[in-house]
Amino acid sequence: MDLQEQYDKLYRYCLRRLGDAAAAEDVTQETFARYYAAGPRETAHALRWLYAVAKNLCADQFRRPAAEPLPEDLPGPALPLEDMALRLALASLTEEEQELVLMRYVNQEPVHVIAAHLGMSRFAVYRRTASALEKLRRALEEDEP
Amino acid sequence: MTKRDVERRLAGAFPGPDRERKRAFFRRMPAPPVRHTRMVLVQAGYVSPLTWAASLGVFAGAMALGRLIPADALWTAAALTPFAALAAAAESGRSARCAMEELELSSRLGLKSVVLARMGAVGLVHLALLAALAAALADGGFFRAGVYFLTPYLLTDLLCLAAVRRVPGREGLLVCAGAAALTAGLALALHSVRGAYAPDSFRWWVLALAVTAGLTGREHIRTIRKLEELSWNL
């Protein structure tokens, strides 16, 4: 397993959940630090383990009291306008649909990893991903002039 | 807009992490430890296909000969096992022959671990094949057949390891081939010695196996020490 590649995927996963680049980076690094401390695993298990830990750490971020924003805090990475349209379209999806779309089409994870992470069957992953993608397509078409 | 267009837009929509901070993070992290079983399995994949083919060929040949002439199965198979040991010895010196020693010495795991893992993989497969051969041709008992097959195998291993350690490169491999032929010839010659494969002489075989196993073990330790010296010299 290429850990550097997984780092990018975990970062995007956390970024979608937290919506903040600095927090996403913190959580990603914390996840990998725990992975190194816990020892090596088989590839399929390692992926599931990384996503599960990242998910829990993201949830912990929401439980913490919100930090007072400092004036010198830099904003997260700016997205191109086209991506903003996509973000708006993504916002019209449910939380689960967003997660499915990100894992399948952005991180390009195999269906069995997504199924294990979300606790659903492979068939359900196929069906719900296709439906989410169709919803997204319609939302983008409506949004575009 | 098609679904494919949406997929393409999605793939590039989410920004990646900061490259510099990511690199700095991985520099701070220790390399994850590798399990011995995983390492042996990974290194088994790097063993030359020729080694596997030669090993399987030798054992298949021994099995076929044993089936064709069951009365002479033990000594013919015993005369063929040195060639399996030759394949293993050829694998142990492959790094030097392919001029990969320095590169493997500088790798994370080191040449010693890599060679040991590969030899472990080949040795385990050979042991399993020898056991299968002994089980298939064991007319006078599995243990007895195992001793007859293992003694020439280990004797060849001993001679080849000593040769590879002293004579590097292709010349070492030629010496190994000579050692394998010599051991095979010895096993064949023993057949003409009256009662050499008889149950009465079996205790001498066990003694020979014990001595050969001890000497082979010592030769393995010397080979490992030599690889350690190479690491220090790098």
Side-chain angles (χ1 to χ4, degrees), chain A residues 4 7-8 11-12 25 29 32 36 40 79 82-83 86 101 105-106 130 133-134 137 141 144, chain B residues 1-3 6-7 9-11 13-17 19 21-22 25-26 29-30 32-33 35:
Chain A
Q4 308 241 355
Y7 181 97
D8 291 8
Y11 171 82
R12 289 190 184 103
E25 192 177 79
Q29 295 195 352
F32 274 89
Y36 279 109
L79 290 169
E82 190 183 53
D83 288 344
L86 191 65
V101 162
Y105 300 111
V106 181
L133 195 68
E134 179 57 28
R137 190 186 67 80
E141 265 182 353
E144 278 177 0
Chain B
M1 183 184 287
T2 63
K3 280 188 179 181
V6 182
E7 282 176 26
R9 272 178 80 170
L10 270 169
F14 282 80
R19 297 281 138 203
R21 283 204 293 271
K22 177 184 159 185
F25 170 74
F26 277 108
M29 289 291 118
R35 280 185 188 149

mmCIF file of all heavy atoms in Angstrom, chain A residues 4 7-8 11-12 25 29 32 36 40 79 82-83 86 101 105-106 130 133-134 137 141 144, chain B residues 1-3 6-7 9-11 13-17 19 21-22 25-26 29-30 32-33 35:
data_model
loop_
_atom_site.group_PDB
_atom_site.id
_atom_site.type_symbol
_atom_site.label_atom_id
_atom_site.label_comp_id
_atom_site.label_asym_id
_atom_site.label_seq_id
_atom_site.Cartn_x
_atom_site.Cartn_y
_atom_site.Cartn_z
ATOM 1 N N GLN A 4 1.686 7.349 0.921
ATOM 2 C CA GLN A 4 1.645 8.752 0.473
ATOM 3 C C GLN A 4 0.376 9.011 -0.345
ATOM 4 O O GLN A 4 -0.221 10.073 -0.256
ATOM 5 C CB GLN A 4 2.867 9.048 -0.389
ATOM 6 C CG GLN A 4 4.161 8.653 0.287
ATOM 7 C CD GLN A 4 5.094 9.822 0.507
ATOM 8 O OE1 GLN A 4 4.807 10.933 0.073
ATOM 9 N NE2 GLN A 4 6.190 9.588 1.167
ATOM 10 N N TYR A 7 -2.535 9.100 1.980
ATOM 11 C CA TYR A 7 -2.553 10.370 2.712
ATOM 12 C C TYR A 7 -3.437 11.368 1.962
ATOM 13 O O TYR A 7 -4.283 12.032 2.564
ATOM 14 C CB TYR A 7 -1.122 10.886 2.845
ATOM 15 C CG TYR A 7 -0.963 12.171 3.606
ATOM 16 C CD1 TYR A 7 -0.608 12.167 4.951
ATOM 17 C CD2 TYR A 7 -1.157 13.410 2.993
ATOM 18 C CE1 TYR A 7 -0.446 13.353 5.652
ATOM 19 C CE2 TYR A 7 -1.007 14.598 3.676
ATOM 20 C CZ TYR A 7 -0.651 14.570 5.009
ATOM 21 O OH TYR A 7 -0.502 15.752 5.696
ATOM 22 N N ASP A 8 -3.236 11.467 0.656
ATOM 23 C CA ASP A 8 -4.030 12.403 -0.160
ATOM 24 C C ASP A 8 -5.519 12.068 -0.076
ATOM 25 O O ASP A 8 -6.366 12.944 0.052
ATOM 26 C CB ASP A 8 -3.600 12.337 -1.636
ATOM 27 C CG ASP A 8 -2.205 12.903 -1.835
ATOM 28 O OD1 ASP A 8 -1.551 13.196 -0.814
ATOM 29 O OD2 ASP A 8 -1.777 13.052 -2.993
ATOM 30 N N TYR A 11 -6.899 12.898 3.315
ATOM 31 C CA TYR A 11 -7.000 14.357 3.458
ATOM 32 C C TYR A 11 -8.294 14.848 2.805
ATOM 33 O O TYR A 11 -9.036 15.630 3.398
ATOM 34 C CB TYR A 11 -5.776 15.023 2.826
ATOM 35 C CG TYR A 11 -5.896 16.528 2.732
ATOM 36 C CD1 TYR A 11 -5.611 17.329 3.834
ATOM 37 C CD2 TYR A 11 -6.318 17.148 1.556
ATOM 38 C CE1 TYR A 11 -5.743 18.701 3.760
ATOM 39 C CE2 TYR A 11 -6.451 18.515 1.475
ATOM 40 C CZ TYR A 11 -6.160 19.297 2.574
ATOM 41 O OH TYR A 11 -6.298 20.657 2.508
ATOM 42 N N ARG A 12 -8.578 14.355 1.595
ATOM 43 C CA ARG A 12 -9.791 14.793 0.882
ATOM 44 C C ARG A 12 -11.038 14.332 1.649
ATOM 45 O O ARG A 12 -12.034 15.043 1.708
ATOM 46 C CB ARG A 12 -9.804 14.233 -0.534
ATOM 47 C CG ARG A 12 -8.759 14.892 -1.406
ATOM 48 C CD ARG A 12 -8.916 14.531 -2.861
ATOM 49 N NE ARG A 12 -7.836 15.127 -3.634
ATOM 50 C CZ ARG A 12 -6.777 14.467 -4.078
ATOM 51 N NH1 ARG A 12 -6.659 13.171 -3.850
ATOM 52 N NH2 ARG A 12 -5.830 15.074 -4.756
ATOM 53 N N GLU A 25 -5.940 18.565 7.608
ATOM 54 C CA GLU A 25 -4.525 18.139 7.640
ATOM 55 C C GLU A 25 -4.170 17.587 9.017
ATOM 56 O O GLU A 25 -3.495 16.555 9.126
ATOM 57 C CB GLU A 25 -3.628 19.331 7.296
ATOM 58 C CG GLU A 25 -2.189 18.915 7.029
ATOM 59 C CD GLU A 25 -1.332 20.089 6.618
ATOM 60 O OE1 GLU A 25 -0.924 20.855 7.499
ATOM 61 O OE2 GLU A 25 -1.109 20.233 5.416
ATOM 62 N N GLN A 29 -2.971 13.732 9.622
ATOM 63 C CA GLN A 29 -1.667 13.408 10.219
ATOM 64 C C GLN A 29 -1.839 12.603 11.504
ATOM 65 O O GLN A 29 -1.071 11.679 11.771
ATOM 66 C CB GLN A 29 -0.874 14.693 10.462
ATOM 67 C CG GLN A 29 -0.520 15.386 9.148
ATOM 68 C CD GLN A 29 0.546 16.451 9.273
ATOM 69 O OE1 GLN A 29 0.945 16.808 10.373
ATOM 70 N NE2 GLN A 29 0.992 16.965 8.146
ATOM 71 N N PHE A 32 -2.543 8.999 10.536
ATOM 72 C CA PHE A 32 -1.335 8.281 10.108
ATOM 73 C C PHE A 32 -0.381 8.034 11.277
ATOM 74 O O PHE A 32 0.267 6.987 11.328
ATOM 75 C CB PHE A 32 -0.636 9.031 8.966
ATOM 76 C CG PHE A 32 -1.202 8.658 7.633
ATOM 77 C CD1 PHE A 32 -2.277 9.347 7.099
ATOM 78 C CD2 PHE A 32 -0.704 7.576 6.929
ATOM 79 C CE1 PHE A 32 -2.831 8.985 5.888
ATOM 80 C CE2 PHE A 32 -1.254 7.204 5.707
ATOM 81 C CZ PHE A 32 -2.324 7.909 5.190
ATOM 82 N N TYR A 36 0.984 4.344 12.278
ATOM 83 C CA TYR A 36 2.387 3.959 12.491
ATOM 84 C C TYR A 36 2.563 3.352 13.881
ATOM 85 O O TYR A 36 3.318 2.403 14.050
ATOM 86 C CB TYR A 36 3.301 5.179 12.336
ATOM 87 C CG TYR A 36 3.620 5.498 10.901
ATOM 88 C CD1 TYR A 36 3.091 6.615 10.276
ATOM 89 C CD2 TYR A 36 4.470 4.682 10.165
ATOM 90 C CE1 TYR A 36 3.391 6.916 8.956
ATOM 91 C CE2 TYR A 36 4.772 4.963 8.842
ATOM 92 C CZ TYR A 36 4.225 6.082 8.248
ATOM 93 O OH TYR A 36 4.526 6.356 6.944
ATOM 94 N N PRO A 40 1.881 -2.451 11.199
ATOM 95 C CA PRO A 40 1.373 -2.691 9.842
ATOM 96 C C PRO A 40 0.164 -3.625 9.805
ATOM 97 O O PRO A 40 -0.041 -4.411 10.716
ATOM 98 C CB PRO A 40 2.566 -3.352 9.151
ATOM 99 C CG PRO A 40 3.329 -3.990 10.250
ATOM 100 C CD PRO A 40 3.108 -3.172 11.468
ATOM 101 N N LEU A 79 -11.077 27.318 -4.180
ATOM 102 C CA LEU A 79 -11.478 26.431 -5.280
ATOM 103 C C LEU A 79 -11.810 27.256 -6.509
ATOM 104 O O LEU A 79 -12.321 28.368 -6.392
ATOM 105 C CB LEU A 79 -12.719 25.648 -4.875
ATOM 106 C CG LEU A 79 -12.527 24.589 -3.806
ATOM 107 C CD1 LEU A 79 -13.878 24.109 -3.325
ATOM 108 C CD2 LEU A 79 -11.727 23.436 -4.349
ATOM 109 N N GLU A 82 -15.696 26.789 -11.084
ATOM 110 C CA GLU A 82 -16.391 25.576 -11.533
ATOM 111 C C GLU A 82 -16.554 24.599 -10.364
ATOM 112 O O GLU A 82 -17.596 23.994 -10.171
ATOM 113 C CB GLU A 82 -15.612 24.910 -12.652
ATOM 114 C CG GLU A 82 -16.393 23.803 -13.317
ATOM 115 C CD GLU A 82 -15.563 23.108 -14.380
ATOM 116 O OE1 GLU A 82 -14.452 22.661 -14.089
ATOM 117 O OE2 GLU A 82 -16.069 23.011 -15.501
ATOM 118 N N ASP A 83 -15.528 24.505 -9.555
ATOM 119 C CA ASP A 83 -15.587 23.627 -8.392
ATOM 120 C C ASP A 83 -16.604 24.132 -7.378
ATOM 121 O O ASP A 83 -17.220 23.345 -6.671
ATOM 122 C CB ASP A 83 -14.219 23.510 -7.745
ATOM 123 C CG ASP A 83 -13.264 22.685 -8.580
ATOM 124 O OD1 ASP A 83 -13.749 21.964 -9.476
ATOM 125 O OD2 ASP A 83 -12.070 22.778 -8.349
ATOM 126 N N LEU A 86 -19.811 22.853 -8.314
ATOM 127 C CA LEU A 86 -19.869 21.438 -7.950
ATOM 128 C C LEU A 86 -20.120 21.284 -6.456
ATOM 129 O O LEU A 86 -20.874 20.422 -6.011
ATOM 130 C CB LEU A 86 -18.557 20.760 -8.360
ATOM 131 C CG LEU A 86 -18.523 19.242 -8.294
ATOM 132 C CD1 LEU A 86 -19.491 18.624 -9.289
ATOM 133 C CD2 LEU A 86 -17.112 18.732 -8.585
ATOM 134 N N VAL A 101 -19.985 9.374 -3.047
ATOM 135 C CA VAL A 101 -19.454 9.990 -4.266
ATOM 136 C C VAL A 101 -17.969 10.304 -4.101
ATOM 137 O O VAL A 101 -17.155 10.048 -4.994
ATOM 138 C CB VAL A 101 -20.272 11.272 -4.597
ATOM 139 C CG1 VAL A 101 -19.527 12.166 -5.554
ATOM 140 C CG2 VAL A 101 -21.618 10.887 -5.181
ATOM 141 N N TYR A 105 -15.621 8.292 -6.577
ATOM 142 C CA TYR A 105 -15.172 9.024 -7.768
ATOM 143 C C TYR A 105 -13.995 9.963 -7.531
ATOM 144 O O TYR A 105 -13.278 10.285 -8.471
ATOM 145 C CB TYR A 105 -16.339 9.802 -8.395
ATOM 146 C CG TYR A 105 -17.450 8.876 -8.820
ATOM 147 C CD1 TYR A 105 -18.668 8.876 -8.171
ATOM 148 C CD2 TYR A 105 -17.248 7.973 -9.861
ATOM 149 C CE1 TYR A 105 -19.678 8.002 -8.542
ATOM 150 C CE2 TYR A 105 -18.246 7.099 -10.232
ATOM 151 C CZ TYR A 105 -19.455 7.117 -9.569
ATOM 152 O OH TYR A 105 -20.421 6.241 -9.935
ATOM 153 N N VAL A 106 -13.816 10.419 -6.287
ATOM 154 C CA VAL A 106 -12.663 11.297 -6.017
ATOM 155 C C VAL A 106 -11.483 10.437 -5.547
ATOM 156 O O VAL A 106 -10.401 10.503 -6.098
ATOM 157 C CB VAL A 106 -13.014 12.387 -4.976
ATOM 158 C CG1 VAL A 106 -11.815 13.287 -4.732
ATOM 159 C CG2 VAL A 106 -14.212 13.201 -5.448
ATOM 160 N N ALA A 130 -24.763 5.209 -7.990
ATOM 161 C CA ALA A 130 -25.344 5.581 -9.288
ATOM 162 C C ALA A 130 -26.439 6.618 -9.103
ATOM 163 O O ALA A 130 -26.524 7.609 -9.861
ATOM 164 C CB ALA A 130 -25.891 4.330 -9.974
ATOM 165 N N LEU A 133 -24.910 9.998 -8.187
ATOM 166 C CA LEU A 133 -24.268 10.618 -9.343
ATOM 167 C C LEU A 133 -25.308 11.241 -10.272
ATOM 168 O O LEU A 133 -25.118 12.339 -10.809
ATOM 169 C CB LEU A 133 -23.434 9.572 -10.106
ATOM 170 C CG LEU A 133 -22.437 10.127 -11.103
ATOM 171 C CD1 LEU A 133 -21.314 10.869 -10.388
ATOM 172 C CD2 LEU A 133 -21.856 9.026 -11.950
ATOM 173 N N GLU A 134 -26.427 10.561 -10.413
ATOM 174 C CA GLU A 134 -27.510 11.079 -11.254
ATOM 175 C C GLU A 134 -28.080 12.363 -10.645
ATOM 176 O O GLU A 134 -28.330 13.341 -11.353
ATOM 177 C CB GLU A 134 -28.591 9.990 -11.405
ATOM 178 C CG GLU A 134 -29.805 10.373 -12.222
ATOM 179 C CD GLU A 134 -29.469 10.841 -13.639
ATOM 180 O OE1 GLU A 134 -28.438 10.403 -14.184
ATOM 181 O OE2 GLU A 134 -30.239 11.679 -14.174
ATOM 182 N N ARG A 137 -25.663 15.116 -11.244
ATOM 183 C CA ARG A 137 -25.687 15.535 -12.650
ATOM 184 C C ARG A 137 -26.862 16.491 -12.898
ATOM 185 O O ARG A 137 -26.712 17.545 -13.517
ATOM 186 C CB ARG A 137 -25.800 14.307 -13.559
ATOM 187 C CG ARG A 137 -25.589 14.594 -15.041
ATOM 188 C CD ARG A 137 -25.869 13.375 -15.873
ATOM 189 N NE ARG A 137 -27.281 12.987 -15.840
ATOM 190 C CZ ARG A 137 -28.234 13.562 -16.559
ATOM 191 N NH1 ARG A 137 -27.944 14.540 -17.394
ATOM 192 N NH2 ARG A 137 -29.482 13.169 -16.447
ATOM 193 N N GLU A 141 -26.781 20.445 -13.933
ATOM 194 C CA GLU A 141 -27.455 20.901 -15.159
ATOM 195 C C GLU A 141 -28.408 22.054 -14.864
ATOM 196 O O GLU A 141 -28.504 23.013 -15.631
ATOM 197 C CB GLU A 141 -28.213 19.727 -15.792
ATOM 198 C CG GLU A 141 -27.374 19.054 -16.853
ATOM 199 C CD GLU A 141 -28.115 17.918 -17.546
ATOM 200 O OE1 GLU A 141 -29.240 17.551 -17.136
ATOM 201 O OE2 GLU A 141 -27.545 17.382 -18.497
ATOM 202 N N GLU A 144 -26.318 25.242 -14.197
ATOM 203 C CA GLU A 144 -25.618 25.878 -15.318
ATOM 204 C C GLU A 144 -26.609 26.602 -16.234
ATOM 205 O O GLU A 144 -27.722 26.125 -16.451
ATOM 206 C CB GLU A 144 -24.879 24.804 -16.125
ATOM 207 C CG GLU A 144 -23.555 24.481 -15.440
ATOM 208 C CD GLU A 144 -22.786 23.374 -16.133
ATOM 209 O OE1 GLU A 144 -23.298 22.856 -17.147
ATOM 210 O OE2 GLU A 144 -21.733 23.043 -15.635
ATOM 211 N N MET B 1 -24.956 17.184 -20.256
ATOM 212 C CA MET B 1 -23.846 16.694 -19.416
ATOM 213 C C MET B 1 -24.065 15.215 -19.066
ATOM 214 O O MET B 1 -25.138 14.846 -18.610
ATOM 215 C CB MET B 1 -23.794 17.522 -18.123
ATOM 216 C CG MET B 1 -22.645 17.134 -17.220
ATOM 217 S SD MET B 1 -22.664 18.024 -15.668
ATOM 218 C CE MET B 1 -22.153 19.645 -16.210
ATOM 219 N N THR B 2 -23.036 14.424 -19.317
ATOM 220 C CA THR B 2 -23.166 12.984 -19.035
ATOM 221 C C THR B 2 -22.614 12.680 -17.636
ATOM 222 O O THR B 2 -21.947 13.521 -17.026
ATOM 223 C CB THR B 2 -22.377 12.160 -20.061
ATOM 224 O OG1 THR B 2 -21.001 12.502 -19.922
ATOM 225 C CG2 THR B 2 -22.851 12.411 -21.481
ATOM 226 N N LYS B 3 -22.876 11.447 -17.197
ATOM 227 C CA LYS B 3 -22.356 11.045 -15.883
ATOM 228 C C LYS B 3 -20.831 11.030 -15.892
ATOM 229 O O LYS B 3 -20.188 11.319 -14.891
ATOM 230 C CB LYS B 3 -22.880 9.651 -15.527
ATOM 231 C CG LYS B 3 -24.304 9.660 -14.991
ATOM 232 C CD LYS B 3 -24.674 8.296 -14.498
ATOM 233 C CE LYS B 3 -26.079 8.305 -13.930
ATOM 234 N NZ LYS B 3 -26.487 7.002 -13.419
ATOM 235 N N VAL B 6 -19.504 14.365 -15.105
ATOM 236 C CA VAL B 6 -19.597 14.656 -13.662
ATOM 237 C C VAL B 6 -18.458 13.947 -12.925
ATOM 238 O O VAL B 6 -17.817 14.535 -12.038
ATOM 239 C CB VAL B 6 -20.971 14.192 -13.099
ATOM 240 C CG1 VAL B 6 -21.093 14.540 -11.617
ATOM 241 C CG2 VAL B 6 -22.108 14.805 -13.886
ATOM 242 N N GLU B 7 -18.204 12.682 -13.306
ATOM 243 C CA GLU B 7 -17.111 11.928 -12.671
ATOM 244 C C GLU B 7 -15.791 12.655 -12.855
ATOM 245 O O GLU B 7 -14.993 12.770 -11.932
ATOM 246 C CB GLU B 7 -17.007 10.524 -13.291
ATOM 247 C CG GLU B 7 -18.053 9.563 -12.780
ATOM 248 C CD GLU B 7 -17.991 8.219 -13.481
ATOM 249 O OE1 GLU B 7 -16.917 7.848 -13.972
ATOM 250 O OE2 GLU B 7 -19.034 7.544 -13.549
ATOM 251 N N ARG B 9 -15.310 15.850 -13.442
ATOM 252 C CA ARG B 9 -15.280 17.102 -12.665
ATOM 253 C C ARG B 9 -15.043 16.823 -11.194
ATOM 254 O O ARG B 9 -14.320 17.543 -10.523
ATOM 255 C CB ARG B 9 -16.614 17.847 -12.838
ATOM 256 C CG ARG B 9 -16.587 18.752 -14.042
ATOM 257 C CD ARG B 9 -17.890 19.436 -14.227
ATOM 258 N NE ARG B 9 -18.068 20.588 -13.348
ATOM 259 C CZ ARG B 9 -19.068 21.452 -13.464
ATOM 260 N NH1 ARG B 9 -19.944 21.293 -14.441
ATOM 261 N NH2 ARG B 9 -19.190 22.463 -12.652
ATOM 262 N N LEU B 10 -15.636 15.722 -10.728
ATOM 263 C CA LEU B 10 -15.462 15.339 -9.314
ATOM 264 C C LEU B 10 -14.007 15.009 -9.013
ATOM 265 O O LEU B 10 -13.473 15.391 -7.975
ATOM 266 C CB LEU B 10 -16.320 14.109 -9.008
ATOM 267 C CG LEU B 10 -17.734 14.346 -8.531
ATOM 268 C CD1 LEU B 10 -18.497 13.042 -8.532
ATOM 269 C CD2 LEU B 10 -17.749 14.963 -7.138
ATOM 270 N N ALA B 11 -13.391 14.254 -9.941
ATOM 271 C CA ALA B 11 -12.019 13.773 -9.721
ATOM 272 C C ALA B 11 -11.051 14.932 -9.495
ATOM 273 O O ALA B 11 -10.093 14.799 -8.737
ATOM 274 C CB ALA B 11 -11.572 12.932 -10.904
ATOM 275 N N ALA B 13 -12.026 18.104 -8.445
ATOM 276 C CA ALA B 13 -12.631 19.189 -7.666
ATOM 277 C C ALA B 13 -11.991 19.378 -6.297
ATOM 278 O O ALA B 13 -11.821 20.503 -5.850
ATOM 279 C CB ALA B 13 -14.117 18.937 -7.507
ATOM 280 N N PHE B 14 -11.644 18.278 -5.641
ATOM 281 C CA PHE B 14 -11.143 18.393 -4.267
ATOM 282 C C PHE B 14 -9.636 18.655 -4.266
ATOM 283 O O PHE B 14 -8.875 17.873 -4.831
ATOM 284 C CB PHE B 14 -11.455 17.123 -3.476
ATOM 285 C CG PHE B 14 -12.870 17.056 -3.026
ATOM 286 C CD1 PHE B 14 -13.870 16.659 -3.901
ATOM 287 C CD2 PHE B 14 -13.214 17.420 -1.734
ATOM 288 C CE1 PHE B 14 -15.183 16.618 -3.503
ATOM 289 C CE2 PHE B 14 -14.537 17.380 -1.320
ATOM 290 C CZ PHE B 14 -15.531 16.978 -2.216
ATOM 291 N N PRO B 15 -9.215 19.737 -3.632
ATOM 292 C CA PRO B 15 -7.775 20.040 -3.629
ATOM 293 C C PRO B 15 -7.005 19.033 -2.772
ATOM 294 O O PRO B 15 -7.546 18.494 -1.806
ATOM 295 C CB PRO B 15 -7.708 21.438 -3.017
ATOM 296 C CG PRO B 15 -8.934 21.548 -2.190
ATOM 297 C CD PRO B 15 -9.987 20.723 -2.840
ATOM 298 N N GLY B 16 -5.765 18.778 -3.150
ATOM 299 C CA GLY B 16 -4.927 17.852 -2.391
ATOM 300 C C GLY B 16 -4.264 18.568 -1.225
ATOM 301 O O GLY B 16 -4.385 19.789 -1.086
ATOM 302 N N PRO B 17 -3.564 17.844 -0.381
ATOM 303 C CA PRO B 17 -2.888 18.477 0.766
ATOM 304 C C PRO B 17 -1.654 19.267 0.320
ATOM 305 O O PRO B 17 -1.184 19.083 -0.800
ATOM 306 C CB PRO B 17 -2.474 17.275 1.620
ATOM 307 C CG PRO B 17 -2.366 16.147 0.660
ATOM 308 C CD PRO B 17 -3.352 16.395 -0.434
ATOM 309 N N ARG B 19 1.918 19.914 -0.372
ATOM 310 C CA ARG B 19 2.986 18.932 -0.673
ATOM 311 C C ARG B 19 4.142 18.996 0.319
ATOM 312 O O ARG B 19 4.655 17.988 0.757
ATOM 313 C CB ARG B 19 3.552 19.175 -2.084
ATOM 314 C CG ARG B 19 2.570 18.991 -3.191
ATOM 315 C CD ARG B 19 2.352 17.521 -3.528
ATOM 316 N NE ARG B 19 0.909 17.326 -3.731
ATOM 317 C CZ ARG B 19 0.279 16.184 -3.616
ATOM 318 N NH1 ARG B 19 0.919 15.101 -3.267
ATOM 319 N NH2 ARG B 19 -1.024 16.090 -3.807
ATOM 320 N N ARG B 21 4.247 20.197 3.443
ATOM 321 C CA ARG B 21 3.925 19.748 4.813
ATOM 322 C C ARG B 21 3.741 18.240 4.832
ATOM 323 O O ARG B 21 4.078 17.571 5.809
ATOM 324 C CB ARG B 21 2.684 20.477 5.327
ATOM 325 C CG ARG B 21 3.004 21.903 5.754
ATOM 326 C CD ARG B 21 1.997 22.414 6.755
ATOM 327 N NE ARG B 21 0.682 22.563 6.167
ATOM 328 C CZ ARG B 21 0.254 23.663 5.558
ATOM 329 N NH1 ARG B 21 1.059 24.705 5.444
ATOM 330 N NH2 ARG B 21 -0.954 23.730 5.051
ATOM 331 N N LYS B 22 3.208 17.690 3.735
ATOM 332 C CA LYS B 22 3.043 16.234 3.652
ATOM 333 C C LYS B 22 4.413 15.547 3.669
ATOM 334 O O LYS B 22 4.640 14.588 4.398
ATOM 335 C CB LYS B 22 2.294 15.892 2.349
ATOM 336 C CG LYS B 22 2.118 14.413 2.109
ATOM 337 C CD LYS B 22 1.462 14.180 0.763
ATOM 338 C CE LYS B 22 1.708 12.800 0.251
ATOM 339 N NZ LYS B 22 1.179 12.578 -1.091
ATOM 340 N N PHE B 25 5.931 15.687 7.048
ATOM 341 C CA PHE B 25 5.271 14.745 7.964
ATOM 342 C C PHE B 25 5.836 13.329 7.781
ATOM 343 O O PHE B 25 6.189 12.663 8.751
ATOM 344 C CB PHE B 25 3.752 14.747 7.709
ATOM 345 C CG PHE B 25 3.023 13.654 8.431
ATOM 346 C CD1 PHE B 25 2.809 13.735 9.803
ATOM 347 C CD2 PHE B 25 2.543 12.542 7.761
ATOM 348 C CE1 PHE B 25 2.146 12.716 10.477
ATOM 349 C CE2 PHE B 25 1.882 11.519 8.418
ATOM 350 C CZ PHE B 25 1.685 11.615 9.785
ATOM 351 N N PHE B 26 5.944 12.886 6.535
ATOM 352 C CA PHE B 26 6.434 11.522 6.287
ATOM 353 C C PHE B 26 7.913 11.378 6.640
ATOM 354 O O PHE B 26 8.344 10.294 6.990
ATOM 355 C CB PHE B 26 6.171 11.099 4.833
ATOM 356 C CG PHE B 26 4.772 10.574 4.651
ATOM 357 C CD1 PHE B 26 3.816 11.310 3.976
ATOM 358 C CD2 PHE B 26 4.405 9.347 5.185
ATOM 359 C CE1 PHE B 26 2.523 10.832 3.829
ATOM 360 C CE2 PHE B 26 3.119 8.863 5.036
ATOM 361 C CZ PHE B 26 2.175 9.608 4.362
ATOM 362 N N MET B 29 8.031 10.527 10.283
ATOM 363 C CA MET B 29 7.479 9.218 10.651
ATOM 364 C C MET B 29 8.501 8.089 10.429
ATOM 365 O O MET B 29 9.210 8.104 9.424
ATOM 366 C CB MET B 29 6.240 8.897 9.805
ATOM 367 C CG MET B 29 5.037 9.727 10.154
ATOM 368 S SD MET B 29 4.401 9.294 11.783
ATOM 369 C CE MET B 29 4.612 10.831 12.645
ATOM 370 N N PRO B 30 8.566 7.129 11.351
ATOM 371 C CA PRO B 30 9.478 6.003 11.114
ATOM 372 C C PRO B 30 8.891 5.092 10.037
ATOM 373 O O PRO B 30 7.671 5.035 9.874
ATOM 374 C CB PRO B 30 9.506 5.283 12.463
ATOM 375 C CG PRO B 30 8.200 5.640 13.100
ATOM 376 C CD PRO B 30 7.818 7.000 12.606
ATOM 377 N N PRO B 32 7.328 1.972 8.546
ATOM 378 C CA PRO B 32 6.577 0.938 9.265
ATOM 379 C C PRO B 32 7.321 -0.395 9.255
ATOM 380 O O PRO B 32 7.922 -0.754 8.242
ATOM 381 C CB PRO B 32 5.257 0.834 8.477
ATOM 382 C CG PRO B 32 5.525 1.466 7.173
ATOM 383 C CD PRO B 32 6.648 2.422 7.344
ATOM 384 N N PRO B 33 7.325 -1.125 10.389
ATOM 385 C CA PRO B 33 8.040 -2.408 10.415
ATOM 386 C C PRO B 33 7.394 -3.424 9.475
ATOM 387 O O PRO B 33 6.192 -3.348 9.209
ATOM 388 C CB PRO B 33 7.912 -2.859 11.868
ATOM 389 C CG PRO B 33 6.753 -2.109 12.418
ATOM 390 C CD PRO B 33 6.644 -0.852 11.658
ATOM 391 N N ARG B 35 6.551 -7.408 8.684
ATOM 392 C CA ARG B 35 6.461 -8.731 9.318
ATOM 393 C C ARG B 35 7.310 -9.731 8.536
ATOM 394 O O ARG B 35 7.417 -9.631 7.317
ATOM 395 C CB ARG B 35 5.007 -9.195 9.331
ATOM 396 C CG ARG B 35 4.221 -8.554 10.445
ATOM 397 C CD ARG B 35 2.827 -9.141 10.501
ATOM 398 N NE ARG B 35 2.027 -8.390 11.457
ATOM 399 C CZ ARG B 35 0.732 -8.215 11.367
ATOM 400 N NH1 ARG B 35 0.083 -8.718 10.350
ATOM 401 N NH2 ARG B 35 0.069 -7.540 12.275
#
